[in-house]
Amino acid sequence: MKTLKLAQQSKDAKKSVKTPEQRRVKADDDLIDLFPLPRYFQVHFQHVHENTHDLQDELLELKNYVAKVDEKLERLMALLSRPPEPVL
């Protein structure tokens, strides 16, 4: 009975000693726990995707506005580059 108990204790002692690979897995698990869950990224990219459409619309509006301002500036430059009309 005593030898059986010693044999069991030696098996338990061998199980409790962790190899470097086992410790590394634990460290990797701890490292993974520091990162956000996949749901965070799903929500984040959904938000980005939803806002992309709004930003594209706003960019299109700004491009149209710049085109109108550019057209007005060209007309103004054409008026300013004319020779002055003689005053009678």
Side-chain angles (χ1 to χ4, degrees):
M1 181 85 169
K2 195 171 191 177
T3 55
L4 182 60
K5 204 174 200 181
L6 288 174
Q8 185 65 32
Q9 286 176 351
S10 69
K11 284 183 184 178
D12 290 342
K14 286 181 185 177
K15 287 181 185 176
S16 66
V17 175
K18 292 185 178 181
T19 63
E21 288 124 11
Q22 289 171 328
R23 276 186 248 130
R24 195 178 106 238
V25 170
K26 174 71 172 127
D28 289 345
D29 290 343
D30 290 342
L31 185 61
I32 288 172
D33 289 341
L34 294 175
F35 286 95
L37 296 174
R39 180 71 183 141
Y40 167 82
F41 294 105
Q42 290 171 345
V43 170
H44 175 74
F45 287 117
Q46 179 182 356
H47 178 75
V48 169
H49 180 71
E50 290 170 355
N51 287 335
T52 299
H53 183 69
D54 294 338
L55 290 173
Q56 287 173 339
D57 289 345
E58 187 177 345
L59 183 61
L60 186 59
E61 284 181 38
L62 290 171
K63 284 181 179 181
N64 289 335
Y65 180 74
V66 167
K68 288 178 184 177
V69 169
D70 195 35
E71 184 181 316
K72 288 178 182 179
L73 282 174
E74 284 187 29
R75 279 192 270 149
L76 181 61
M77 292 298 290
L79 287 173
L80 291 174
S81 64
R82 278 189 191 167
E85 295 180 9
V87 179
L88 295 173

